[in-house]
């Protein structure tokens, strides 16, 4: 389903506040156009204002892996081709090549095997993000591989195929050197793509614009786009879910300030006095005795008290509900009296059975903490079933509801997440001190500020273990 | 009463002679001492300079030989029978004072009021 740009999305991360009815109002979700994590190219072109004619989203996602796979296949087949072609084409005129060649065959075989295994381990993974610009290092490596293989083929074609070279041992050595070169390129790829950014060099401060939640992360040398992907990975795990219902100040307190003095303009010209008029109003409003902080304080205390009361009721209800149920032990069937045959329930039925007494308390608590949109009745029963199956205590069951969990807990994973990277510099530049970029979603953004980690000058001081001696602080008094 | 390391210590001292009193088989003087180079000088309530590790008189038995001889609480003992008391350990000081073979001890003590008295007398006799 193609998502037209500009249409608002409704998903668990950005529900608008509504008054829910008493019957577990459900969120409406809309399937977005992308199916894995991606940063839509269309959003970026809207922002950067150059409309390039881009391929549809699906094709663009697959170009890079397909290209890489083709190049990889060619480069693995090339040494084998180098070995096979002379044998096929001019077998009779080849110099016989005994033990040295066989040694080279063995080493070639093992190196190719290692190359294949490490390629599988390192590169054959589903990509988790689509970046707005080219991933510079990956393009560099693909170009390097292409260059290597092409130049080897060129040399081979000119020096071996044309004159039908007879020195087979030299050809085998040539093929082995290609495999060595490929292994070294893979080492380079490992260092550039996986290892270089492991040593921490910068500290990123990530602040969510909607409610001010912030975290600090240490990263190594990355480009802005890669840093953005990394920050988003951490965001889903560390940041509590954004609840737009928890706004700081209720409007009722703020709007009281709006009533102020009326200023009548008695002079003819209006243009010059407009700023003067507003300034006069602001000054008058500031001079007035302002009691809105008082109301805010009392209202906040009241809300907190209410939440605590409902939480207490919820905890008691859940504890009581859990006492109604017990895990069935197989040995009991022999000893329990046949007077009360207890019917055996599976976890789902057990969950439904004990959900009833706690439903009302749970509902009231969720409404007090404005979380009711994140937990449907179905999801609560599912979680209850999960907890019962794994022998969790009531406290473990409640942990999910008493504190807002990380955003990842509330996502269903078969939908992609669309984020927009906003930056004043090209997104392939490396991180530098003082850079600021932001990752936007529809109703909030994450602002990321880059700070360098300080240079550490570590000095040493040796302490002899025998130097730990102590004396008593005495003040004795002796009578003489 | 503070001293400069390496320089001789100067102080205005008073000579006090105490006759030991025999109680049973002990000879007592009737006061208690505190201080010493192995003690913590910061806890001394009588010293001006809290790094002074000298021997101070911390308690006087009323009507004892020391009070009769003129010793007062807070005095710093500089010498006992010729033995220096400014750089001794607490135990050495105790031993010098409780020597069983002597029944009189001659102390040189110093106190703040002595210094002030000398200053005042110097001031009233400008030719001194």
């Amino acid at each position: 389903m193609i998502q037209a740009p500009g249409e608002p999305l409704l998903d668990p991360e950005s529900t608008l506040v509504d008054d829910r009815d008493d019957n577990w109002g459900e969120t409406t979700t809309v399937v977005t156009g992308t199916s894995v994590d991606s940063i839509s190219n269309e959003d970026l072109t809207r922002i950067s204002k150059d409309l390039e004619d881009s391929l549809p989203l699906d094709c663009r996602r697959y170009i890079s892996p397909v290209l890489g796979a083709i190049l990889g296949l060619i480069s693995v087949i090339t040494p084998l081709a180098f070995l096979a072609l002379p044998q096929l084409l001019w077998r009779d005129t080849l110099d016989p090549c005994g033990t040295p060649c066989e040694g080279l065959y063995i080493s070639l075989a093992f190196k190719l095997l290692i190359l294949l295994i490490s390629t599988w381990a390192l590169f054959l993974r589903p990509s988790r993000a689509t970046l707005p610009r080219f991933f510079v290092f990956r393009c560099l490596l693909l170009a390097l591989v292409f260059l290597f293989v092409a130049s080897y083929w060129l040399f081979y074609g000119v020096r071996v195929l044309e004159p039908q070279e007879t020195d087979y041992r030299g050809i085998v050595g040539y093929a082995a050197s290609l495999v060595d070169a490929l292994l070294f390129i893979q080492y380079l790829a490992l260092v550039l793509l996986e290892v270089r950014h492991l040593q921490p060099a910068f500290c990123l401060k990530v602040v969510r614009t909607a409610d001010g939640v912030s975290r600090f992360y240490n990263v190594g040398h990355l480009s802005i786009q890669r840093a953005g992907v990394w920050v988003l990975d951490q965001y889903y795990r560390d940041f509590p879910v954004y609840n737009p219902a928890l706004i700081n100040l209720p409007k009722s307190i703020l709007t009281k300030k709006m009533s102020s003095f009326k200023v009548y303009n008695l002079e003819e010209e209006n243009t010059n006095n407009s700023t003067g008029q507003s300034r006069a109003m602001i000054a008058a409003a500031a001079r007035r005795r302002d009691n809105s902080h008082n109301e805010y304080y009392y209202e906040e205390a009241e809300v907190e008290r209410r939440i605590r009361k409902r939480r207490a009721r919820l905890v008691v209800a859940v504890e009581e509900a859990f006492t109604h149920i017990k895990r069935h032990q197989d040995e009991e069937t022999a000893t329990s009296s046949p007077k009360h045959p207890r019917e055996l329930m599976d976890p789902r039925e057990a969950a439904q059975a004990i959900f009833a007494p706690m439903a009302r308390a749970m509902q009231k608590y969720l409404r007090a903490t404005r979380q009711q949109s994140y937990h449907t009745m179905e999801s609560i029963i599912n979680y209850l079933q999960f907890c019962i199956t794994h022998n969790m205590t009531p406290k473990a069951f409640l942990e999910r509801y008493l504190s807002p969990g990380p955003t990842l807990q509330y996502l269903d994973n078969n939908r992609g997440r669309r984020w927009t990277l906003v930056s004043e510099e090209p997104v392939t530049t490396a991180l530098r001190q003082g850079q600021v970029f932001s990752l936007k979603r529809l109703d909030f953004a994450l602002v990321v500020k880059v700070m360098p980690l300080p240079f550490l000058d570590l000095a040493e001081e040796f302490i002899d273990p025998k130097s730990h001696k102590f004396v008593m602080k005495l003040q004795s008094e002796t009578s003489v | 009463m503070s001293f400069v390391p390496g320089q001789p210590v100067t102080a205005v001292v008073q000579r006090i002679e105490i006759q030991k009193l025999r109680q049973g088989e002990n000879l007592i003087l009737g006061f208690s001492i505190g201080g010493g180079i192995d003690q913590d000088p910061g806890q001394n309530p009588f010293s001006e300079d809290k790094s002074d590790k000298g021997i101070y008189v911390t308690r006087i038995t009323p009507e004892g030989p020391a009070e009769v001889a003129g010793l007062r609480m807070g005095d710093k003992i500089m010498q006992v029978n010729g033995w220096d008391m400014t750089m001794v350990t607490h135990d050495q000081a105790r031993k010098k004072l409780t020597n069983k073979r002597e029944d009189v001890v001659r102390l040189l003590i110093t106190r703040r009021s002595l210094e002030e008295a000398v200053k005042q007398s110097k001031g009233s006799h400008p030719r001194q």
Side-chain angles (χ1 to χ4, degrees):
Chain A
M1 181 168 129
I2 307 293
Q3 179 74 30
E7 228 179 71
L9 298 171
L10 266 185
D11 55 1
E13 280 180 57
S14 59
T15 38
L16 305 170
V17 177
D18 278 335
D19 278 313
R20 301 289 165 190
D21 55 356
D22 277 349
N23 297 327
W24 300 100
E26 317 227 303
T27 53
T28 55
T29 57
V30 171
V31 178
T32 63
T34 59
S35 62
V36 291
D37 288 342
S38 68
I39 301 174
S40 158
N41 195 36
E42 295 159 56
D43 282 350
L44 200 58
T45 53
R46 246 194 306 137
I47 288 172
S48 60
K49 287 193 192 67
D50 48 3
L51 291 174
E52 52 190 21
D53 193 11
S54 61
L55 304 168
L57 213 59
D58 287 338
C59 283
R60 197 179 163 90
R61 234 178 67 217
Y62 288 122
I63 277 185
S64 175
V66 163
L67 209 61
I70 291 178
L71 257 184
L73 209 62
I74 290 182
S75 58
V76 163
I77 292 200
T78 303
L80 302 174
F82 284 179
L83 292 181
L85 280 176
Q87 296 275 356
L88 293 175
L89 294 180
W90 62 89
R91 181 185 216 125
D92 318 315
T93 54
L94 281 178
D95 291 341
C97 172
T99 338
C101 268
E102 280 158 18
L104 282 174
Y105 286 156
I106 291 182
S107 85
L108 204 70
F110 277 116
K111 281 185 201 159
L112 271 179
L113 184 67
I114 291 179
L115 200 66
L116 281 174
I117 293 181
S118 56
T119 308
W120 168 83
L122 286 175
F123 302 122
L124 294 182
R125 291 177 293 192
S127 73
R128 287 197 45 258
T130 315
L131 303 175
R133 295 283 170 95
F134 292 124
F135 186 175
V136 173
F137 287 151
R138 197 156 56 193
C139 291
L140 183 74
L141 287 163
L142 287 178
L144 207 61
V145 169
F146 175 71
L147 214 65
F148 256 67
V149 174
S151 60
Y152 265 71
W153 269 110
L154 197 65
F155 186 83
Y156 187 77
V158 168
R159 291 292 190 172
V160 175
L161 285 182
E162 285 267 337
Q164 303 213 338
E165 177 71 37
T166 55
D167 178 16
Y168 193 57
R169 194 184 171 289
I171 297 178
V172 178
Y174 184 63
S177 79
L178 174 63
V179 178
D180 286 341
L182 286 177
L183 276 175
F184 285 131
I185 292 185
Q186 194 166 70
Y187 161 74
L188 188 67
L190 185 67
V191 163
L192 280 182
L193 297 181
E194 309 280 338
V195 171
R196 181 168 180 262
H197 61 77
L198 287 180
Q199 187 181 33
F202 298 101
C203 185
L204 301 181
K205 173 169 179 176
V206 185
V207 181
R208 185 159 65 184
T209 57
D211 48 4
V213 178
S214 71
R215 294 278 185 280
F216 289 84
Y217 298 112
N218 278 0
V219 294
H221 291 278
L222 287 173
S223 60
I224 292 185
Q225 55 185 6
R226 279 173 85 193
V229 172
W230 194 88
V231 163
L232 286 178
D233 279 341
Q234 312 305 309
Y235 166 79
Y236 279 109
R237 184 195 57 175
D238 289 335
F239 278 66
V241 65
Y242 165 56
N243 195 346
L246 293 173
I247 316 171
N248 201 13
L249 284 181
K251 286 284 190 299
S252 60
I253 292 183
L254 285 178
T255 50
K256 287 233 171 122
K257 288 184 143 182
M258 289 300 132
S259 68
S260 59
F261 300 112
K262 283 199 193 261
V263 176
Y264 291 99
N265 195 0
L266 296 179
E267 303 181 10
E268 291 86 38
E269 59 231 73
N270 293 333
T271 50
N272 279 354
N273 272 355
S274 57
T275 49
Q277 180 179 5
S278 56
R279 246 188 278 139
M281 280 170 64
I282 292 174
R287 261 183 263 125
R288 231 172 13 119
R289 213 177 125 82
D290 183 9
N291 273 339
S292 56
H293 57 274
N294 238 359
E295 299 166 21
Y296 172 57
Y297 168 68
Y298 283 116
E299 176 149 342
E300 189 164 273
E302 177 67 32
V303 163
E304 197 150 329
R305 210 176 53 92
R306 199 171 350 135
I307 289 182
R308 277 213 293 265
K309 228 174 25 164
R310 291 200 177 169
R311 177 192 167 127
R313 284 202 197 125
L314 173 66
V315 169
V316 164
V318 169
E319 297 252 358
E320 232 177 316
F322 266 69
T323 59
H324 293 319
I325 209 163
K326 198 175 74 155
R327 185 170 270 270
H328 171 70
Q329 313 287 343
D330 282 327
E331 310 87 60
E332 284 182 3
T333 50
T335 57
S336 69
S337 57
K339 264 192 298 188
H340 302 285
R342 288 183 265 195
E343 50 177 73
L344 300 176
M345 300 187 279
D346 63 348
R348 179 90 192 163
E349 294 166 357
Q352 278 165 340
I354 64 174
F355 177 65
M358 70 164 90
R360 190 173 159 74
M362 172 73 81
Q363 183 184 356
K364 291 187 91 130
Y365 177 77
L366 288 181
R367 282 179 60 204
T369 53
R370 322 283 183 103
Q371 279 178 310
Q372 71 269 23
S373 51
Y374 294 117
H375 302 289
T376 63
M377 185 168 80
E378 190 60 31
S379 77
I380 298 181
I381 294 188
N382 282 341
Y383 191 60
L384 193 54
Q385 173 188 347
F386 172 78
C387 289
I388 293 177
T389 316
H390 293 277
N391 290 330
M392 293 205 201
T393 60
K395 194 160 163 174
F397 165 68
L398 279 176
E399 166 267 335
R400 187 180 153 126
Y401 302 103
L402 292 182
S403 56
T407 315
L408 198 54
Q409 205 175 342
Y410 301 96
L411 297 183
D412 46 346
N413 278 333
N414 43 14
R415 294 191 317 171
R417 296 282 139 201
R418 179 188 294 171
W419 288 82
T420 308
L421 182 58
V422 179
S423 147
E424 293 162 10
E425 297 177 352
V427 297
T428 48
T429 53
L431 287 179
R432 243 185 25 239
Q433 169 188 11
Q435 271 178 351
V436 176
F437 62 93
S438 62
L439 294 150
K440 254 178 38 156
R441 257 190 90 80
L442 285 167
D443 44 358
F444 64 92
L446 298 174
V447 177
V448 180
K449 185 163 153 61
V450 181
M451 298 173 280
L453 290 176
F455 179 75
L456 301 172
D457 185 13
L458 214 55
E460 84 160 277
E461 180 183 330
F462 172 69
I463 297 186
D464 186 5
K466 291 202 264 279
S467 70
H468 297 295
K469 300 251 180 273
F470 293 89
V471 290
M472 288 285 286
K473 286 170 80 109
L474 298 171
Q475 189 63 20
S476 32
E477 196 184 347
T478 320
S479 51
V480 291
Chain B
M1 286 205 259
S2 56
F3 73 99
V4 176
Q7 304 295 321
V9 174
T10 56
V12 181
V13 295
Q14 176 182 349
R15 251 191 219 112
I16 290 188
E17 191 174 302
I18 309 181
Q19 304 284 337
K20 291 193 189 178
L21 181 66
R22 183 163 289 276
Q23 266 190 2
E25 57 169 45
N26 297 331
L27 285 168
I28 63 162
L29 288 162
F31 65 96
S32 299
I33 54 165
I37 54 177
D38 56 338
Q39 305 283 310
D40 177 19
Q43 297 186 28
N44 190 344
F46 304 110
S47 60
E48 279 175 21
D49 177 14
K50 288 304 170 190
S51 63
D52 184 5
K53 295 187 175 184
I55 306 289
Y56 281 78
V57 174
T58 56
R59 227 167 19 94
I60 305 251
T61 329
E63 310 296 331
E67 193 180 14
V68 166
L71 197 63
R72 298 288 167 259
M73 193 164 77
D75 294 352
K76 176 175 174 182
I77 304 180
M78 308 295 280
Q79 270 187 17
V80 170
N81 285 344
W83 295 101
D84 169 57
M85 286 280 126
T86 57
M87 277 287 146
V88 290
T89 67
H90 189 88
D91 210 43
Q92 287 169 342
R94 181 192 58 83
K95 282 195 189 131
K96 292 289 181 288
L97 284 166
T98 55
N99 198 337
K100 287 208 185 341
R101 281 179 283 172
E102 305 166 346
D103 52 358
V104 65
V105 286
R106 293 183 181 85
L107 310 176
L108 286 181
I109 59 109
T110 179
R111 62 174 83 98
R112 193 77 209 271
S113 50
L114 290 178
E115 299 245 0
E116 276 157 26
V118 168
K119 269 200 215 126
Q120 273 184 6
S121 65
K122 267 195 187 167
S124 60
H125 295 285
R127 269 180 47 195
Q128 193 72 18

